[in-house]
Amino acid sequence: MLTVLDPETGLLRASSDAAVDPGQMNAMNGMSLEKPQPLTCAILNGTPYFIPNHEELIRDWPQTASIPWLDTFVAISIAPLSPVGDQALGAWVVLYDREHHSPPDERALMSTLADLAGQALRRIRLQQARVELAAALQQSMLPTLPDHLPGLEVAARYRPSRDGLDIGGDWYDAFMMPGGAVALEIGDSQGHDVDAAAFMGQVRTSIRAIAPREPEPATVLTRTNELLVTMNAARFASCTMLYIGPDEGQVIGTSAGHVPLLCAHKDGSSEVHELPGGPVLGVVAGTDYREETFTLEEGTALVMVTDGVVEGPGLTLDDGLKRVGTLAAQALHNGSNAEAIADRILDAAVAVDHLDDVAVLVIRRV
């Protein structure tokens, strides 16, 4: 049986895949280290205990005579989960229903295995701390969408990957331009770690700073690309950017090596919309990105996604795009708003066991 110290509560949690008495497990769960007994002392002092019988337990630990669960076994061996000299993170406990004198080789083996388990647990907790830090960094960089965008419903969703540090470089953004148009973007920076999230923040911040001074999204990507190339960035990013006029629904769109745009209609039909543009950002100097102008009809929705939404194990890009377009169009035909459409697309992406980050941005003209 393993007893592990919960870092948040400071109490013990017990687990075992053996036929351990449930009463013993329940007694150890939630135990405080302040109670003096062999288990808590082994964890606090980093000292193993091999107690061959109940008489020796009571002799050396008379205070345990009043603890009911300690009467349910005869002998006990306890090895702290930590290398020598380090603070133990828990203990490995072996209970015997008869007297047991542990020979030296058994004690050495148990202590060695407990030390290795402690090292593994310490690495797991360090990794978990890094994951939580990285996830907080990622979430802090994702914007809050404006409450009201004239003539549009906009909804966004994000879910991290299950690999690496459980975060990545996917992002989305939506903001008002000085002339009244709405700028929308979605992108994906290379990697799944803290550096990917940090690079994503650089790209999104750069676009935010450049866009208000540029009337065309293609120029925004051109200038962003030059900035990243000049910085000699070690990573690259894909991106789709749209400007949408508030009244007539005019859309100006461009792409930097990103997943195609999807267009869903009220009649339940959909199509893939390939935007002109250029290569991913931060790689090729001197790139002039191209753009296209088209009209977003009332009631029609545009769906912008990252590749984790439309690609996965056993799911090709073409099949994924068709799948998402169909889902969005069906939801739109059934009267769903942008929020409900975004939820449906995200749920479908998770259902196909996605491994990559996923980000969804739905824009519906009302």
Side-chain angles (χ1 to χ4, degrees):
M1 172 170 31
L2 289 180
T3 58
V4 177
L5 191 62
D6 190 318
E8 295 184 1
T9 65
L11 303 177
L12 292 178
R13 290 185 288 110
S15 62
S16 173
D17 60 358
V20 177
D21 184 345
Q24 295 172 344
M25 294 277 291
N26 292 335
M28 292 185 187
N29 273 319
M31 181 186 295
S32 169
L33 293 184
E34 295 178 357
K35 294 183 177 181
Q37 54 179 275
L39 175 58
T40 56
C41 288
I43 295 173
L44 289 172
N45 302 332
T47 303
Y49 291 96
F50 301 93
I51 303 172
N53 52 56
H54 201 263
E55 290 72 19
E56 187 169 316
L57 172 66
I58 299 302
R59 185 194 68 204
D60 294 341
W61 306 85
Q63 66 271 28
T64 62
S66 61
I67 302 177
W69 75 272
L70 290 174
D71 290 328
T72 60
F73 63 89
V74 177
I76 181 171
S77 296
I78 306 171
L81 300 179
S82 78
V84 175
D86 286 355
Q87 175 62 52
L89 303 179
W92 179 16
V93 181
V94 180
L95 304 176
Y96 303 91
D97 59 4
R98 61 180 61 87
E99 185 168 316
H100 180 79
H101 294 267
S102 300
D105 57 344
E106 181 183 299
R107 297 186 180 200
L109 176 61
M110 187 171 178
S111 296
T112 299
L113 292 177
D115 287 349
L116 293 173
Q119 293 177 38
L121 181 59
R122 192 177 301 280
R123 286 194 293 270
I124 289 171
R125 290 192 172 174
L126 176 61
Q127 176 73 354
Q128 182 61 36
R130 293 179 65 201
V131 168
E132 292 174 358
L133 174 61
L137 173 64
Q138 170 83 10
Q139 291 298 328
S140 70
M141 291 184 177
L142 290 175
T144 300
L145 298 182
D147 292 332
H148 176 69
L149 293 173
L152 300 174
E153 279 183 357
V154 178
R157 298 291 184 271
Y158 170 79
R159 182 164 297 186
S161 73
R162 300 181 310 158
D163 288 345
L165 281 179
D166 208 30
I167 69 159
D170 288 15
W171 84 89
Y172 57 80
D173 205 354
F175 52 93
M176 293 294 301
M177 296 286 289
V182 178
L184 302 115
E185 65 185 82
I186 194 166
D188 182 2
S189 67
Q190 176 194 16
H192 297 96
D193 52 24
V194 175
D195 290 339
F199 183 66
M200 173 271 288
Q202 290 179 321
V203 178
R204 192 176 71 82
T205 301
S206 299
I207 292 176
R208 271 270 191 161
I210 294 170
R213 297 172 176 80
E214 297 295 343
E216 299 175 342
T219 309
V220 176
L221 293 193
T222 297
R223 292 190 57 193
T224 301
N225 179 66
E226 289 302 315
L227 176 62
L228 296 175
V229 171
T230 301
M231 291 168 56
N232 197 26
R235 296 174 184 255
F236 59 81
S238 64
C239 178
T240 290
M241 188 168 193
L242 308 176
Y243 284 1
I244 302 181
D247 299 321
E248 71 283 2
Q250 183 188 67
V251 181
I252 307 174
T254 184
S255 175
H258 197 68
V259 177
L261 191 65
L262 293 160
C263 188
H265 305 281
K266 290 187 294 184
D267 63 2
S269 63
S270 64
E271 71 266 0
V272 177
H273 196 124
E274 290 270 9
L275 291 170
V280 292
L281 302 169
V283 176
V284 182
T287 299
D288 289 322
Y289 290 83
R290 295 172 294 115
E291 62 190 21
E292 173 191 353
T293 301
F294 61 95
T295 299
L296 178 62
E297 303 293 341
E298 290 187 9
T300 301
L302 296 176
V303 180
M304 306 167 73
V305 299
T306 53
D307 56 4
V309 179
V310 291
E311 290 183 299
L315 184 66
T316 65
L317 175 60
D318 289 342
D319 290 341
L321 288 169
K322 181 179 179 180
R323 183 169 176 270
V324 170
T326 299
L327 286 172
Q330 289 175 345
L332 192 62
H333 181 66
N334 293 335
S336 299
N337 60 14
E339 295 284 346
I341 295 172
D343 283 334
R344 187 167 182 180
I345 294 171
L346 181 64
D347 291 343
V350 173
V352 297
D353 198 27
H354 79 285
L355 299 177
D356 201 356
D357 298 64
V358 296
V360 180
L361 187 59
V362 177
I363 308 103
R364 175 175 171 265
R365 188 179 174 200
V366 296

